[in-house]
Amino acid sequence: MFKSLAPPEYLATIDREKCIRCKRCIQNCGWGVYSWGGDKVLINTSKCVKCLRCYHYCPEEAIEIVDNPTRFKQNAYWGYNHLRNIKRQAETGGIPLTGMGSDLPYTILFDSLLIDACQVTNPSIDPLREPMELRTYLGKKPSSVEFEKGRDGKLKLKTKMPPQLKLSLPIIFSPMSFGSISLNAQKVLAIAAKECGILMNTGEGGLHEDLFPYRDNIIVQVASGRFGVNPDYLNAGVAVEIKIGQGAKPGIGGHLPGEKIPLEVARARMIPVGTDAISPAPQHDIYSIEDLRQLIYAIKEATNYKPVSVKIAAVHNVAAIASGIVRAGADIVYLDGFRGGTGAAPSIIRDHLGIPIEHAIAAVDDRLRQEGIRNEASIIAAGGIRSSADAAKAIALGADAVAIATAALITMGCTTCGKCYTGNCSWGITTQRPELTARLDPEVYAERLINLIHAWEHELKEILGALGINAIESLRGNRERLRGVGLDTQILDILGVKPAGR
Amino acid sequence: MLEINAGGMYYRDLNQKIRDAVNSGEKDITVRNVNGQYYIGDGLRGKSTITVEGVPGNDLAAFMDGPTLVIKANAQDNISNTMNTGKVVIHGNAGDVLGYGMRGGKLHILGDVGYRVGIHMKGVKKQSPTIVVGGTAGDFFGEYMAGGVLILLGLNNDGRPIVGDYLGTGMHGGVIYVRGEIDKNNCGAEVGILDLDDEDMKVLKESLTEYCKDMGLSLDEIMKKGFKKLIPVSLRPYGNLYAY
Ligand code: SF4
Ligand code: SF4
């Protein structure tokens, strides 16, 4: 066979002195790097993706995965990936795929924003002593409220409130479908969402019956492939999301490779086993805001008016689009920045289309306020939220809540190796191979995800305490409490944030 | 039998009335004076038959799961969007984007249909949708089709082409039967044009017998002309698109 001219990225090495020939590495590697040679473990390092599963399961610390020192000559302009992709394309004529969010060194605005804190004149609050309110309601808010006196003489709310989604804290899990991730990974999300009083999202792949017990913590998604969508499904969760776009691949559809379509996934999606599940780029019943409105209300009619969220990728004209979405009747606008993760996307799209979520939040929040419709819909921000600090900054820029996916997968073992599209994930997350998915015990890993959410919850409370405020509501859109470092005036203007020192 | 007068009624109120009637067990409902109301039968379940007099608005029978809707006039866009089971019979022409993502049930149209009909229909053995179009169809007929059956008869086409461009583009499941000849130039690259075998004839006759009964047409008359079938040449039309 013709040897690829793209040298392996990593070298999987075994210290032969330490190795006790237990063969665990052979069992654990989803990519088939190791095999048994009769007296020792053989290594086909060209398949290694540095997911580190073997390293973690080697009882003797005998394995080391190193970046291949034999690289193309360093060149500040022709990067490693440029050469590698050209060589792969020359060999296959195909589009290189990738998983996870873009790792290119574009400016990360979250890392150029700092949060305020109280000193002397405005006392901070001790979250260990004082109650801190993180509860968040997603949905349309009335522009005014009226009260009336009840028979008992007490004041009662007269205005009929539109339906709201109640969250214990302003963090939810981003949509990830059964198919793109394993059912066990979905269960981890569902268990954690229920335990933490937040929400998970089915993505576009139907709702497996094992998730029915978690329906109060589930948003169901409708996307262009309409996989798994029937009236039961629409009514199964607390809300319905129409997916127009995804930050990692704005403007292009979904493509679940046939390798990830075994019988159960095929059945949930109602397509033949082993075909590629294709979600067309646009929804062919939505070519305009008016069409979107029709689908939003068709769903509302079919669900007795559950809240409807519309998810879009953050793109250049995001503010105007979001305004249209709100006017079309959406209860929630879900913005996904270009750093957002994916199970499979052409790397050329992932790395070069869209805009960062930080700009998008600020632009959308501004626009909706200018138009006097900010109360008509909540904003969820997603696409690269790495920590509670990113979450707090996103909320201060104007989001009502953030959505996380990669961070959640990392608690399940993911090392962001980026090879999710192969269906070989050694951690049992983005694969449907039963021997791999079986390793992800939902109960065990849910515990870890719950820990993460609780830790972020504490951190958010600490941040609020330091800011001297006791409710997340007071941070929402409060850009006065952010400062920019090293940002030019135009970016500061877009973000509506002052430079540090002012 | 229940009659509802839809004259001047807001769609939300009308649909609530229909839903209440179906939920209370009414099996035979006639809705008169319909004039463009949206979402009739949207998400509706049960086994009732609803006859619509007048032209219903967009999104008829979206997500519908069980009932039969009989439309005595023309109908508009987005009919049977993601419909699950049930049946829609239209004694006239219908617009664009019919049966989008349809999962089951039947959509019978006497006359012509517009663009983007039957996009991404899907089906498994037990549950499979069927659309029969009596007249002609526009571009993108059966695009991205993943399952189910599309039948195009081209009756009374007065010499006009039976179907537009991009027929079956991206098709990766299901089957399209077209009465008459198909020009390969009108088809997506992903489909092959074949003659019908016995199994096809069985499927076709079964579907058309029901269609002819609904529309008062003669099956023999229709079957006088030959059919061609379109199926995907690959389960993975885009399998070679990517470098792994
Ligand atoms: S388990 Fe992961 S890190 Fe180890 S050899 Fe396989 S691909 Fe490489
Ligand atoms: S989910 Fe699995 S394949 Fe995807 S980046 Fe994480 S470890 Fe790699």
Side-chain angles (χ1 to χ4, degrees), chain A residues 88 92 94-97 224-232 234-235 255 257-259 266 269-276 278-285 287 293-295 297-299 301-302 305 346 421, chain B residues 11-12 15-16 19 38-39 42-43 45 58-59 62-65 77-78 81-82 84 97 100-101 103-104 116 119-120 122-124 127-128 143-144 146 170 172-173 235-244:
Chain A
R88 279 160 75 199
T92 65
I95 300 172
L97 284 177
S224 62
R226 297 289 151 83
F227 295 118
V229 179
N230 62 26
D232 286 333
L234 289 177
N235 283 288
H255 188 125
E259 287 82 9
R269 296 191 178 221
M270 287 186 76
I271 53 168
V273 175
T275 66
D276 296 355
I278 296 167
S279 303
Q283 313 219 8
H284 285 289
D285 53 351
Y287 284 5
R293 184 180 177 83
Q294 262 183 56
L295 185 62
Y297 278 89
I299 288 171
E301 278 287 319
Y305 288 78
Y421 57 94
Chain B
Y11 75 80
R12 221 173 140 173
N15 292 330
Q16 194 55 50
R19 210 166 292 138
Y38 278 23
Y39 313 118
D42 185 343
R45 297 159 195 252
N58 291 354
D59 271 283
F63 310 111
M64 193 171 81
D65 197 10
D77 297 339
N78 260 2
N81 193 341
T82 324
N84 204 41
V97 204
Y100 184 82
R103 304 158 49 87
R116 292 180 264 151
I119 293 188
H120 219 308
K122 45 183 70 68
V124 287
Q127 194 186 351
S128 171
E143 194 186 22
Y144 289 118
H172 51 293
L235 282 177
R236 303 187 61 177
Y238 302 117
N240 291 329
L241 193 58
Y242 299 108
Y244 284 89

Side-chain angles (χ1 to χ4, degrees), chain A residues 168-211:
Chain A
S168 300
L169 70 161
I171 298 174
I172 62 172
F173 300 131
S174 326
M176 285 179 280
S177 69
F178 173 42
S180 91
I181 61 171
S182 63
L183 183 58
N184 278 348
Q186 276 201 333
K187 282 185 195 166
V188 172
L189 297 168
I191 297 169
K194 188 169 182 174
E195 180 62 32
C196 298
I198 58 174
L199 300 169
M200 62 123 20
N201 186 317
T202 58
E204 182 183 33
L207 178 70
H208 195 279
E209 59 194 25
D210 288 2
L211 296 179

Side-chain angles (χ1 to χ4, degrees), chain A residues 377-441:
Chain A
S378 296
I379 298 175
I380 297 177
I385 304 292
R386 302 158 297 173
S387 66
S388 60
D390 287 353
K393 290 170 189 174
I395 290 168
L397 284 173
D400 288 270
V402 298
I404 60 168
T406 304
L409 298 188
I410 291 171
T411 68
M412 300 180 209
C414 168
T415 52
T416 67
C417 77
K419 294 291 188 287
C420 321
Y421 57 94
T422 61
N424 294 329
C425 178
S426 296
W427 295 95
I429 305 167
T430 51
T431 174
Q432 301 303 329
R433 284 166 53 190
E435 75 279 15
L436 298 179
T437 60
R439 4 183 117 154
L440 192 71
D441 183 326

Side-chain angles (χ1 to χ4, degrees), chain A residues 12 25 28-34 47-55 63 65 426:
Chain A
C25 51
N28 271 284
C29 179
W31 277 275
V33 170
Y34 304 109
K47 292 181 176 172
C48 178
V49 303
K50 203 177 184 182
C51 71
L52 299 186
R53 176 83 190 184
C54 58
Y55 168 79
I63 289 176
I65 310 292
S426 296

Side-chain angles (χ1 to χ4, degrees), chain A residues 105-150:
Chain A
Y106 294 101
T107 310
I108 304 170
L109 286 182
F110 281 135
D111 294 346
S112 303
L113 290 170
L114 290 170
I115 302 170
D116 192 17
C118 299
Q119 296 294 295
V120 187
T121 53
N122 45 350
S124 47
I125 303 174
D126 184 353
L128 299 177
R129 207 177 62 200
E130 315 273 346
M132 285 281 172
E133 189 61 87
L134 293 184
R135 181 162 304 155
T136 299
Y137 291 93
L138 300 179
K140 275 184 205 307
K141 309 291 185 291
S143 43
S144 63
V145 283
E146 274 184 76
F147 294 90
E148 61 187 1
K149 259 208 179 112

Side-chain angles (χ1 to χ4, degrees), chain A residues 311-499:
Chain A
K311 175 179 174 180
I312 51 166
V315 290
H316 299 188
N317 205 13
V318 65
I321 297 162
S323 158
I325 289 170
V326 175
R327 291 174 191 283
D331 301 86
I332 298 166
V333 184
Y334 183 129
L335 305 172
D336 198 14
F338 91 110
R339 293 269 181 198
T342 175
S347 49
I348 209 79
I349 301 285
R350 184 195 72 170
D351 292 338
H352 300 282
L353 273 64
I355 64 169
I357 189 61
E358 301 93 316
H359 295 85
I361 303 168
V364 170
D365 183 61
D366 275 346
R367 181 68 170 258
L368 299 185
R369 281 175 199 278
Q370 281 159 12
E371 295 185 2
I373 53 174
R374 179 63 184 86
N375 63 299
E376 293 288 326
S378 296
I379 298 175
I380 297 177
I385 304 292
R386 302 158 297 173
S387 66
S388 60
D390 287 353
K393 290 170 189 174
I395 290 168
L397 284 173
D400 288 270
V402 298
I404 60 168
T406 304
L409 298 188
I410 291 171
T411 68
M412 300 180 209
C414 168
T415 52
T416 67
C417 77
K419 294 291 188 287
C420 321
Y421 57 94
T422 61
N424 294 329
C425 178
S426 296
W427 295 95
I429 305 167
T430 51
T431 174
Q432 301 303 329
R433 284 166 53 190
E435 75 279 15
L436 298 179
T437 60
R439 4 183 117 154
L440 192 71
D441 183 326
E443 298 287 337
V444 171
Y445 282 92
E447 205 52 55
R448 297 164 59 96
L449 181 51
I450 292 164
N451 283 344
L452 175 81
I453 299 298
H454 285 161
W456 285 21
E457 182 175 2
H458 292 312
E459 288 177 337
L460 281 175
K461 287 180 176 175
E462 291 287 353
I463 291 171
L464 290 186
L467 281 162
I469 53 184
N470 59 7
I472 196 78
E473 210 55 57
S474 312
L475 182 61
R476 201 153 282 140
N478 192 347
R479 303 187 204 174
E480 181 53 31
R481 307 304 298 271
L482 290 176
R483 289 293 184 272
V485 270
L487 298 176
D488 63 44
T489 33
Q490 198 158 22
I491 294 191
L492 289 169
D493 180 50
I494 291 166
L495 294 178
V497 166
K498 290 179 189 149

